């Protein structure tokens, strides 16, 4: 009997999600035992034309890692959507745009200029990438950037969402186990659109740190506070911690080791806009009622857009900052 | 930018003070600009910043938030929370390149119908001067000229 097909693809991303899959150690053998790897550029040598040759819906499970940054990403998203029964937005880049999505704070022209003219770039002739270039052998082309960074679900229909930057290995292993059990008729798939491989509450819920007063007089950067109280909530120590708005699933990995949560698991269940939720949480711990004093305390958050949308900008209500529309 | 630009403004008002003030302005036949669509909340403290972002990203040009004067909140001190959220929200909007002046917080007691009417009128003019925000058009890729807050 032929095994069901598995695919994994990457688009606008860092590659960390691929590493996270490899990091499930011997569980990866279960993938091999239960699936035929039809397409996975980082691991096997299959070509896009091999995918094109498959019947629609022939791939059972595709893990898509990455944001939609250019037209090739978009084309591949449509292709793999067509060929896959289950398409999973895998990791923060695919589910919410992640750090690549912060490009949505700048005009495209500025992004290109920064990449090709900053001091560290050796580009004496001020060359810019062209969509089509003529060479003696003919014409070659590279994909055109889209106007801004999109999430996978903004471009194609997505079956499941798996948050995390990257998703925790034990969560990946659990999801793979689940799919194998479904194949063996021992379990059922969650409802379409579900968030998988994560919890349904907040990082704070899993965090062992003590919360009590919830009132702060100043925000600090973590390196300014030494030593950090090992038991007290990091936010209560004046360090912006994104735990209150962030989905559980990592077992509060960062606050457990003395670092603030920066929000890589994305919005908690029921949160419409991640930044709005976090803003509310921060505003309620500030211990001041006079506008001048509140402003002084807020000076301690020098980059609110980065603080509130480090991972979620492309999926926020605004999707982008105003400069992104100025090209 | 059209000379006849009529800004769309969503106003979130507190049931105990400013919603009554708006009512008072109405019964006293004070004229205030029709650009503001009022949404009544039980308290300005109920104002989730999500509401403001939803309004602006769905096509509003400005958002007015009104509540009881500091120290006079029906629910003791919820309006201080509103104040903190508002000040932080303005900074976030600035960071997103959206003029923070598109959102305004006004304190108005139930007796201050005239004050509220004045505030509404001047806010409408401030937003008119800023021009349309047009976020849905921006997202749809139909706008090239945009204001970017300094
Ligand atoms: S979600 Fe994080 S780890 Fe995964 S590709 Fe994006 S940036 Fe890398
Ligand atoms: S704010 Fe951060 S440190 Fe505090 S309980 Fe939540 S996750 Fe833990
Ligand atoms: S604590 Fe926050 S930043 Fe750290 S892994 Fe968990 S969700 Fe990500």
């Amino acid at each position: 009997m032929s095994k069901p097909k598995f695919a994994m693809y990457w688009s606008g991303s860092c590659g960390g999600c691929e590493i996270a899959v490899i990091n499930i150690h011997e569980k990866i053998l279960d993938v091999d035992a239960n699936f035929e790897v039809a397409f996975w550029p980082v691991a096997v040598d299959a070509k896009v034309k091999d995918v094109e040759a498959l019947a629609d819906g022939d791939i059972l499970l595709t893990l898509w890692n990455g944001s939609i940054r250019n037209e090739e990403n978009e084309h591949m998203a449509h292709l793999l959507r067509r060929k896959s029964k289950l398409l999973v937005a895998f990791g923060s880049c695919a589910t919410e745009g992640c750090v690549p999505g912060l490009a949505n704070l700048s005009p495209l022209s500025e992004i290109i200029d920064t990449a090709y003219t900053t001091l560290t770039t050796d580009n004496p002739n001020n060359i810019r990438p062209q969509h089509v270039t003529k060479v003696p052998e003919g014409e070659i082309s590279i994909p055109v950037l889209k106007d801004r960074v999109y999430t996978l679900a903004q471009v194609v229909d997505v079956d499941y969402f798996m948050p995390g930057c990257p998703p925790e290995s034990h969560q990946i292993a659990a999801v793979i186990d689940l799919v194998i059990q479904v194949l063996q008729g021992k379990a059922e798939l969650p409802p379409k659109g579900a968030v998988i491989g994560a919890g349904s509450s907040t990082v704070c819920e899993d965090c062992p740190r003590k919360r009590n007063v919830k009132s702060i007089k100043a925000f600090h950067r973590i390196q300014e506070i030494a030593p950090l109280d090992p038991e007290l909530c990091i936010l209560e120590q004046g360090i912006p911690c994104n735990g209150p708005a962030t989905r559980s699933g990592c077992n509060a990995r960062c606050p457990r080791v003395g670092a603030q949560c920066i929000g890589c698991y994305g919005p908690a269940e029921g949160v419409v806009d991640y930044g709005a939720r976090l803003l509310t949480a921060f505003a309620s711990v500030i211990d001041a009622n006079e506008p001048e004093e509140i402003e002084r305390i807020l000076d301690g958050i020098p980059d609110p857009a980065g603080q509130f949308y480090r991972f979620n900008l492309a999926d926020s209500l605004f999707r982008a900052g105003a400069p992104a529309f100025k090209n | 930018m059209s000379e006849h630009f009529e800004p769309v403004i969503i106003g979130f008002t507190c049931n105990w003070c400013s919603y009554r003030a708006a009512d008072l302005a109405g019964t006293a036949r004070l004229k205030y600009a029709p650009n503001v669509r009022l949404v009544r909340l039980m308290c300005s403290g109920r104002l989730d910043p999500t509401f403001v972002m939803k309004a602006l990203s769905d096509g509003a040009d400005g958002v007015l938030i009104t509540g009881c004067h500091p120290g006079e909140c029906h629910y003791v001190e919820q309006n201080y929370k509103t104040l903190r959220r508002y000040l932080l929200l303005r900074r976030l909007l600035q960071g997103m390149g959206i003029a923070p002046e598109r959102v305004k917080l006004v304190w108005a007691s139930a007796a201050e119908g005239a004050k509220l009417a004045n505030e509404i009128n001047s806010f409408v003019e401030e937003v008119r001067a800023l021009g349309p925000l047009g976020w849905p058009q921006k997202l749809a890729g139909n706008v090239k000229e945009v204001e970017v807050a300094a």
Side-chain angles (χ1 to χ4, degrees), chain A residues 156 276 293:
Chain A
V156 294
E293 200 193 351

Side-chain angles (χ1 to χ4, degrees), chain A residues 280 283 288-289 295 299 318 320 322, chain B residues 49-50 80 84 91 96-97 135 139:
Chain A
T280 302
N289 288 336
E295 294 283 18
D299 284 343
F318 284 116
Chain B
T50 311
Y80 288 115
R84 297 194 293 259
R91 287 171 179 246
M96 307 269 292
W135 209 265
L139 287 179

Side-chain angles (χ1 to χ4, degrees), chain A residues 83-128:
Chain A
K83 302 295 177 186
S84 313
K85 278 207 181 64
L86 300 174
L87 177 65
V88 178
F90 186 88
S92 175
C93 286
T95 55
E96 55 178 347
C98 195
V99 173
L102 287 173
N104 288 1
L105 287 172
S106 309
L108 210 49
S109 53
E110 203 176 295
I111 293 168
I112 304 264
D113 283 346
T114 304
Y116 289 91
T117 60
T118 37
L119 273 181
T120 49
T121 311
D122 187 14
N123 185 8
N125 297 329
N126 215 8
I127 289 169
R128 291 290 184 281

Side-chain angles (χ1 to χ4, degrees), chain A:
Chain A
M1 202 184 82
S2 72
K3 292 187 277 187
K5 294 190 174 67
F6 168 90
M8 185 161 187
Y9 189 67
W10 49 6
S11 51
S13 65
C14 82
C17 280
E18 313 273 333
I19 306 292
V21 172
I22 307 296
N23 247 347
I24 63 176
H25 302 298
E26 67 280 0
K27 263 267 171 298
I28 200 82
L29 298 175
D30 289 354
V31 176
D32 186 55
N34 288 279
F35 293 95
E36 173 196 337
V37 178
F39 185 60
W40 187 3
V42 84
V44 303
D45 185 23
K47 305 288 189 226
V48 174
K49 62 173 170 25
D50 301 329
V51 180
E52 284 166 347
L54 295 173
D56 286 359
D58 203 16
I59 302 172
L60 177 70
L61 176 67
T62 294
L63 304 182
W64 181 287
N65 150 39
S67 61
I68 306 300
R69 169 74 275 190
N70 65 35
E71 288 180 354
E72 182 194 45
N73 301 153
E74 189 176 14
H75 170 79
M76 287 300 294
H78 285 288
L79 177 66
L80 280 165
R81 169 66 282 180
R82 232 181 21 255
K83 302 295 177 186
S84 313
K85 278 207 181 64
L86 300 174
L87 177 65
V88 178
F90 186 88
S92 175
C93 286
T95 55
E96 55 178 347
C98 195
V99 173
L102 287 173
N104 288 1
L105 287 172
S106 309
L108 210 49
S109 53
E110 203 176 295
I111 293 168
I112 304 264
D113 283 346
T114 304
Y116 289 91
T117 60
T118 37
L119 273 181
T120 49
T121 311
D122 187 14
N123 185 8
N125 297 329
N126 215 8
I127 289 169
R128 291 290 184 281
Q130 303 297 315
H131 173 41
V132 178
T133 308
K134 285 194 172 52
V135 291
E137 295 79 8
E139 279 185 351
I140 52 173
S141 66
I142 54 172
V144 178
L145 293 181
K146 288 183 67 68
D147 58 341
R148 59 177 203 269
V149 171
Y150 293 78
T151 69
L152 182 62
Q154 287 166 5
V155 169
V156 294
D157 190 40
V158 169
D159 296 300
Y160 299 112
F161 298 86
M162 190 156 176
C165 175
E168 291 286 320
S169 292
H170 74 276
Q171 297 281 18
I172 302 172
V175 165
I176 286 175
D177 264 347
L178 173 72
V179 177
I180 291 171
Q181 288 191 19
V182 171
L183 284 175
Q184 297 168 346
K186 293 185 199 149
E188 294 209 355
L189 284 171
K192 186 178 154 92
V195 172
I196 56 173
S200 55
S201 70
T202 62
V203 172
C204 291
E205 285 288 316
D206 290 345
C207 178
R209 289 177 175 265
K210 277 204 270 312
R211 274 153 284 180
N212 30 42
V213 279
K214 287 248 172 192
S215 62
I216 56 158
K217 289 276 183 200
F219 283 112
H220 310 279
R221 303 174 77 178
I222 197 159
Q223 64 270 32
E224 293 165 359
I225 303 265
L228 206 63
D229 183 309
E231 280 168 10
L232 184 65
C233 164
I234 293 175
L235 181 57
E236 283 185 28
Q237 297 183 59
I239 292 144
C241 178
N242 290 8
T246 307
R247 186 180 283 272
S248 56
C250 66
N251 201 21
R253 178 176 272 259
C254 301
R256 273 180 201 276
V257 296
Q260 74 276 34
C261 171
I262 55 174
C264 84
Y265 260 69
E269 191 87 26
V271 172
V272 174
D273 187 279
Y274 181 85
R277 173 61 65 90
L278 197 56
L279 190 160
T280 302
F282 284 8
S284 57
V285 298
I286 293 172
D287 182 18
N289 288 336
E290 292 306 316
E292 298 73 28
E293 200 193 351
I294 297 170
E295 294 283 18
R296 182 190 58 74
I297 295 171
L298 293 179
D299 284 343
I301 304 175
D303 173 19
Q307 179 73 41
F308 294 130
Y309 293 117
R310 189 187 310 227
F311 296 92
N312 191 255
L313 183 65
D315 200 38
S316 68
L317 281 173
F318 284 116
R319 305 277 197 257
F325 303 105
K326 188 172 168 250
N327 280 307

